[in-house]
């Protein structure tokens, strides 16, 4: 049997997945949603993102340390990196490509907005896809969810996956710790040694940073 891979999933905000369509139609009672409506919405969303690639690059930026962290993990034997996000897969790929963060991402292993509108289910979907693709008996403890919101932390905990919370968003490290993160860091530059410690199954303190 293949050696079970360690895997890391980054989490992003729910901006254009099936949940957004469902919530919109709930707010407009005369409109009912189905898979056909969602697929049309998804195609149009992906098209608009492709058309606005330049605007995305102008308005946003990759966080310091993000590219280096992905590259470092890619060099770690047995590590698979993918994405768990409320975005549809096509949009997630476009966004990461714009900022040069797609090189080390295994997109087929991820969980996306077209899969489910519950974050914890997206984590479970990603785990199931990793198991199916690698043929390995991947344990929940082999995963590491990396996110920056209490919702990310809650999703990881509900799915039974350790969570490294990065305080690069609107939530402080203390608030992320209170939400139940396995470990917290201030930014991605600080996170690199902790990535390796946690993916090797060591306690957070082994990376030099406490929970």
């Amino acid at each position: 049997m293949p050696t079970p891979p360690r895997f890391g999933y980054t989490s992003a905000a729910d901006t254009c997945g099936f949940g957004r369509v469902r919530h919109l139609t709930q707010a407009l009672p005369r409109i009912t949603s189905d898979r056909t409506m969602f697929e049309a919405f998804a195609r149009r969303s992906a098209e608009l993102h492709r058309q606005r690639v330049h605007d995305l690059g102008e308005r946003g930026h990759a966080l310091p340390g993000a590219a280096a962290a992905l590259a470092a993990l890619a060099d770690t034997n047995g590590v698979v990196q993918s994405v768990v996000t409320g975005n549809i897969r096509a949009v997630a790929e476009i966004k990461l490509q714009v900022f040069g963060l797609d090189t080390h991402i295994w997109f087929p292993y991820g969980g996306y907005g077209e899969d489910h509108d519950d974050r914890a289910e997206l984590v479970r979907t990603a785990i199931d896809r990793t198991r199916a693709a690698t043929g390995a008996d991947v344990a929940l403890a082999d995963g590491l969810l990396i996110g920056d919101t209490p919702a990310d932390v809650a999703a990881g905990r509900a799915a039974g996956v350790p969570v490294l919370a990065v305080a690069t968003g609107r939530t402080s490290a203390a608030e992320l710790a209170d939400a139940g993160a396995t470990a917290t860091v201030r930014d991605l530059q600080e996170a690199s040694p902790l990535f390796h410690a946690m993916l090797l199954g060591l306690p957070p303190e082994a990376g030099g940073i406490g929970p």
Side-chain angles (χ1 to χ4, degrees):
M1 179 176 292
T3 301
R6 296 280 176 173
F7 54 91
Y9 296 117
T10 60
S11 181
D14 185 355
T15 57
C16 54
F18 186 71
R20 177 58 60 88
V21 175
R22 182 172 63 82
H23 294 154
L24 175 63
T25 56
Q26 286 175 343
L28 302 172
R30 293 184 181 180
I31 299 177
T32 58
S33 64
D34 57 20
R35 192 69 190 183
T36 300
M37 175 184 285
F38 169 72
E39 289 175 355
F41 167 82
R43 287 193 298 271
R44 182 56 177 161
S45 178
E47 179 184 342
L48 290 174
H49 275 79
R50 292 188 188 98
Q51 293 173 358
R52 299 183 61 186
V53 163
H54 178 74
D55 291 340
L56 288 172
E58 288 289 322
R59 295 180 181 181
H61 65 277
L63 291 172
L70 290 171
L73 286 175
D75 288 337
T76 303
N77 187 42
V79 170
V80 172
Q81 301 179 82
S82 195
V83 180
V84 171
T85 174
N87 286 275
I88 60 173
R89 176 176 165 179
V91 171
E93 291 185 10
I94 291 167
K95 289 182 176 181
L96 291 179
Q97 288 166 2
V98 167
F99 301 110
L101 300 177
D102 61 310
T103 304
H104 304 297
I105 300 298
W106 294 63
F107 288 102
Y109 293 9
Y112 304 96
E114 60 263 44
D115 298 318
H116 208 282
D117 62 353
D118 180 83
R119 287 172 181 260
E121 286 300 326
L122 295 183
V123 177
R124 297 185 185 103
T125 295
I127 293 170
D128 288 343
R129 285 177 173 159
T130 301
R131 288 170 175 160
T134 62
D137 185 16
V138 180
L140 294 174
D142 291 327
L144 176 63
L145 178 69
I146 304 163
D148 63 359
T149 70
D152 295 334
V153 175
R157 286 176 58 88
V161 174
V163 180
L164 172 61
V166 186
T168 49
R170 298 179 180 178
T171 309
S172 70
E175 291 170 322
L176 292 168
D178 289 342
T182 309
T184 61
V185 291
R186 290 184 296 272
D187 55 47
L188 290 169
Q189 293 170 304
E190 183 181 78
S192 185
L194 190 55
F195 285 152
H196 292 280
M198 294 180 74
L199 286 169
L200 289 172
L202 301 175
E205 292 81 359
I209 303 169

